[in-house]
Amino acid sequence: MRGPSVPPQYAYQRVAEDLTRRITSGEFPPGSRLPSRAELCAEYDVSSFVADRVFLILKMNGLTESLPGAGVYVKETGQLDG
């Protein structure tokens, strides 16, 4: 007998969910810088395309903001959407 099947996830979904969990748990508090694209690629063994999509998802969910040339940062509490 097989256990319940879990639908497959795209790599960007898996990484975005993990980073969301890490942000909401306080591992990355408001104002902190997230790992760079290269660091994300190495940590999660994903391509730069996947890393870029992860950053886009986090931004669309109102969790982060990008500062050109400086990186991606967790939004301050007062700036969180919703």
Side-chain angles (χ1 to χ4, degrees), residues 47-77:
S47 69
S48 59
F49 175 81
V50 168
D52 288 341
R53 184 168 274 196
V54 168
F55 288 136
L56 179 62
I57 290 169
L58 295 176
K59 183 177 183 175
M60 288 173 52
N61 289 338
L63 294 172
T64 62
E65 60 185 335
S66 300
L67 300 175
V72 177
Y73 291 82
V74 177
K75 279 191 172 182
E76 295 292 336
T77 306

Side-chain angles (χ1 to χ4, degrees), residues 9-59:
Q9 273 190 315
Y10 289 108
Y12 70 87
Q13 291 172 311
R14 176 179 51 83
V15 176
E17 286 177 6
D18 188 56
L19 281 176
T20 297
R21 179 191 57 76
R22 293 170 72 184
I23 290 168
T24 57
S25 74
E27 183 178 341
F28 291 111
S32 65
R33 184 177 178 277
L34 292 183
S36 68
R37 178 194 297 144
E39 292 166 336
L40 210 64
C41 291
E43 181 176 347
Y44 290 97
D45 192 27
V46 296
S47 69
S48 59
F49 175 81
V50 168
D52 288 341
R53 184 168 274 196
V54 168
F55 288 136
L56 179 62
I57 290 169
L58 295 176
K59 183 177 183 175

